[in-house]
């Protein structure tokens, strides 16, 4: 058996190696490292793939979130609602812009932002909601858009983990994750579902005016060269990353399918275990089939995350590492409990789900190159540990 990786970037690269090597050498020979034609080419390909009017590439997924909030013109003191159970980048940019983060609890089955908790958190100062499509699954966008329309709020989708996922609305139509709210953001960090070979990110919107504003913000607030109309930032995707992404984008659907195949194998192995809860792949408007079926396109499995309910999560984590099975605790601490984001405004009783998940979750190896022998070994190792404990 090949050694098991948490994310096998090398194995994936080897399948597109000659194409990537040639394209990267071409960029070097052209010397157009920044704002070259390759960036525009990738931007257009991604617009077509997502079915969105504007993609604005930038330097990373954290910048993308910050720039999206700047583009919406939010002012210090405005409240922004986001999930308590996610990577810190989301709350970090809210705080950096001197907006007020309002962390709310998540749903126990999808790990995504809880709709009733959003409703409870709305005040006259609320200006935006940032749903994070966590671990690759789209949040309940029907309900979120309804709340946003009712209260006149912006919706910024943090799509760093769910690029390629589809959301099926109540009326049956589908849209790509990240293209539903006012603006969506993503990360091309190497381990993300569409990763480059360094840092990268992008912002998506169907709003022409907002796209224009954002194109200036990413470029020092310039709309005309050397005329700075607003305070901006410097945030660029470089040409080397753009050619890598352009080559990988046509494979993205296959990459998502490979991840779902691995997820299906895991779920089959663990679904009947009394102390393991497998992740739910559920569109809000399609029944939860309990499997990872072909219509589970709402989930692209950035992570495959189990809940261990017998209190042995930390022991399992160590045991798997000893057996050569990488695994990770995403996330070990609720954001409202992190030193940087603690606040007297929060009440522990408002976060029952997140406070429970941080003790139970464990994410298994998940990437496009997992083979049957590796999957079998991982499943057998986990099941024999669970049965012995
Ligand atoms: C990775 C990630 C980000 C940040 O992306 P970077 O490119 O690393 O800055 C933001 N939000 C979520 C949910 C992420 O997973």
């Amino acid at each position: 058996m090949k050694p098991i990786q948490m994310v096998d970037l090398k194995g994936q690269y080897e399948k597109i190696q000659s194409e990537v090597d040639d394209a990267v050498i071409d960029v070097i020979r052209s010397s157009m490292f920044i704002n070259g034609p390759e960036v525009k080419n990738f931007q257009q390909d991604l617009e077509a793939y997502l079915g969105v009017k504007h993609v604005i590439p930038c330097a990373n997924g954290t910048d993308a979130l910050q720039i999206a909030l700047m583009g919406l013109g939010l002012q210090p003191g405005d409240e922004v609602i986001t999930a308590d159970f996610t990577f810190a980048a989301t709350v970090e940019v809210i705080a950096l812009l001197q907006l007020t983060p309002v962390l709310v609890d998540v749903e126990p089955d999808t790990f995504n932002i809880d709709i009733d908790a959003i409703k409870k958190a709305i005040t006259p100062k609320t200006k935006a909601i940032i749903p994070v499509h966590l671990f690759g699954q789209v949040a309940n966008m029907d309900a979120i858009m309804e709340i946003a329309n009712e209260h006149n709020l912006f919706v910024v989708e943090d799509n760093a983990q769910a690029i390629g996922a589809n959301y099926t609305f109540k009326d049956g139509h589908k849209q790509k994750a990240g293209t539903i709210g006012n603006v969506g953001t993503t990360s091309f960090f190497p381990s993300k579902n569409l990763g480059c070979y360094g840092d990268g990110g992008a912002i998506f919107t169907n709003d022409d005016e907002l796209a224009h504003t954002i194109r200036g913000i990413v470029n020092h607030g310039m709309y005309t060269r050397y005329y700075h109309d607003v305070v901006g930032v410097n945030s660029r995707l470089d040409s080397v990353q753009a050619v890598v992404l352009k080559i990988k984008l046509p494979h993205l659907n296959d990459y998502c399918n490979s991840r779902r195949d691995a997820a299906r194998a895991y779920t089959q192995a663990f679904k009947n275990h009394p102390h393991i809860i497998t992740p739910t792949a559920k569109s809000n408007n399609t029944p939860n089939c309990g499997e990872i079926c072909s219509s589970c396109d709402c989930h692209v499995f950035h992570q495959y995350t189990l809940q261990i309910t017998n209190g042995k999560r930390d022991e399992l984590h160590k045991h798997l590492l000893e057996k050569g099975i990488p695994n990770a605790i995403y996330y070990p601490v609720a954001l409202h409990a992190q030193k940087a984001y603690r606040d007297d405004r929060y009440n522990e009783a408002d976060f029952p789900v997140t406070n429970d998940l941080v003790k139970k979750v464990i994410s298994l190896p998940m990437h496009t190159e997992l083979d049957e022998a590796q999957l079998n070994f991982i499943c057998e190792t986990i099941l024999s540990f669970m049965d012995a404990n």
Side-chain angles (χ1 to χ4, degrees):
M1 189 181 65
K2 285 183 296 179
I4 298 170
Q5 315 282 335
M6 191 68 185
V7 181
D8 185 0
L9 297 175
K10 192 153 182 270
Q12 193 188 58
Y13 161 65
E14 280 165 3
K15 293 185 176 161
I16 50 172
Q17 180 166 6
S18 64
E19 207 184 339
V20 168
D21 291 1
D22 290 351
V24 169
I25 294 280
D26 283 348
V27 171
I28 295 170
R29 292 195 173 134
S30 79
S31 298
M32 289 197 276
F33 299 112
I34 301 289
N35 288 337
E38 298 301 348
V39 179
K40 183 100 189 177
N41 286 342
F42 166 64
Q43 171 196 321
Q44 288 169 343
D45 288 0
L46 189 57
E47 285 166 352
Y49 174 83
L50 293 171
V52 72
K53 271 172 96 175
H54 305 280
V55 166
I56 301 112
C58 66
N60 58 67
T62 309
D63 275 10
L65 282 164
Q66 178 180 332
I67 293 158
L69 293 176
M70 290 168 77
L72 294 172
L74 301 188
Q75 297 300 317
D78 287 349
E79 293 179 1
V80 179
I81 297 173
T82 195
D84 190 35
F85 187 64
T86 178
F87 181 57
T90 326
V91 65
E92 180 178 59
V93 298
I94 298 171
L96 270 175
L97 293 173
Q98 295 184 308
L99 310 172
T100 304
V102 179
L103 296 166
V104 302
D105 210 6
V106 297
E107 302 175 338
D109 54 350
T110 64
F111 310 126
N112 275 326
I113 194 162
D114 184 89
I115 300 306
D116 290 330
I118 296 176
K119 289 182 184 161
K120 256 184 76 182
I122 291 175
T123 75
K125 287 187 178 170
T126 308
K127 289 286 158 27
I129 308 170
I130 309 185
V132 182
H133 303 316
L134 201 73
F135 300 155
Q137 172 151 241
V138 195
N140 182 347
M141 293 307 291
D142 275 294
I144 291 166
M145 296 311 289
E146 220 167 272
I147 295 171
N149 288 335
E150 188 183 328
H151 295 272
N152 209 12
L153 309 176
F154 294 118
V155 174
V156 180
E157 296 174 75
D158 181 347
N159 197 32
Q161 301 190 1
I163 196 160
N166 289 301
Y167 184 77
T168 308
F169 285 84
K170 272 188 202 137
D171 66 7
H173 91 278
K174 281 183 194 241
Q175 252 172 279
K176 288 278 181 212
T179 69
I180 300 163
N182 301 83
V183 53
T185 65
T186 203
S187 164
F188 303 123
F189 186 79
S191 65
K192 302 284 159 124
N193 288 28
L194 179 62
C196 58
Y197 296 164
D199 273 309
I203 303 152
F204 326 130
T205 185
N206 284 308
D207 180 331
D208 297 339
E209 205 177 314
L210 181 59
H212 173 76
T213 304
I214 287 173
R215 286 204 181 93
I217 291 172
V218 298
N219 191 23
H220 300 290
M222 282 195 287
Y223 297 89
T224 307
R225 208 165 162 82
Y226 302 123
Y227 290 80
H228 303 272
D229 294 359
V230 294
V231 177
V233 295
N234 168 28
S235 190
R236 297 184 279 240
L237 183 73
D238 66 67
S239 307
V240 169
Q241 304 312 330
V243 290
V244 171
L245 290 165
K246 188 179 158 65
I247 291 167
K248 287 180 76 172
L249 180 60
H251 298 281
L252 179 57
N253 287 346
D254 286 338
Y255 291 161
C256 293
N257 286 331
S258 303
R259 287 172 176 273
R260 271 196 291 265
D261 288 345
R264 186 174 306 119
Y266 283 143
T267 288
Q268 302 250 303
F270 302 129
K271 68 178 176 182
N272 294 321
H273 197 283
H275 300 305
I276 301 177
I277 302 175
T278 56
T280 306
K282 156 183 110 166
S283 253
N284 296 101
N285 303 304
T286 53
N288 172 18
C289 60
E291 309 277 336
I292 313 297
C293 72
S294 55
S295 62
C296 291
D297 60 352
C298 60
H299 205 325
V300 293
F301 289 96
H302 176 60
Q303 301 296 344
Y304 184 91
T305 304
L306 295 175
Q307 294 174 61
I308 304 299
T309 59
N310 64 350
K312 299 285 166 76
R313 191 271 314 266
D314 291 339
E315 283 164 60
L316 175 63
H317 167 70
K318 282 191 210 112
H319 177 74
L320 294 179
L321 291 180
E322 280 160 19
K323 294 276 175 187
I325 300 174
N327 67 96
I329 311 300
Y330 301 127
Y331 298 92
V333 181
L335 287 179
H336 80 270
Q338 294 280 5
K339 235 182 192 173
Y341 302 109
R342 277 179 209 156
D343 198 302
D344 292 341
R345 291 176 288 125
Y346 297 127
N347 181 348
E348 282 308 313
D350 289 332
F351 304 101
V353 178
T354 302
N355 285 341
D356 189 48
L357 289 176
V358 295
K359 289 181 241 151
K360 289 184 181 162
V361 288
I362 184 165
S363 295
L364 304 186
M366 176 48 75
H367 54 78
T368 57
E369 313 301 314
L370 282 162
D371 65 32
E372 207 178 315
Q374 294 174 316
L375 287 165
N376 285 340
F377 178 68
I378 297 165
C379 293
E380 280 161 19
T381 308
I382 292 174
L383 287 172
S384 57
F385 173 89
M386 292 302 287
D387 291 338
N389 279 274

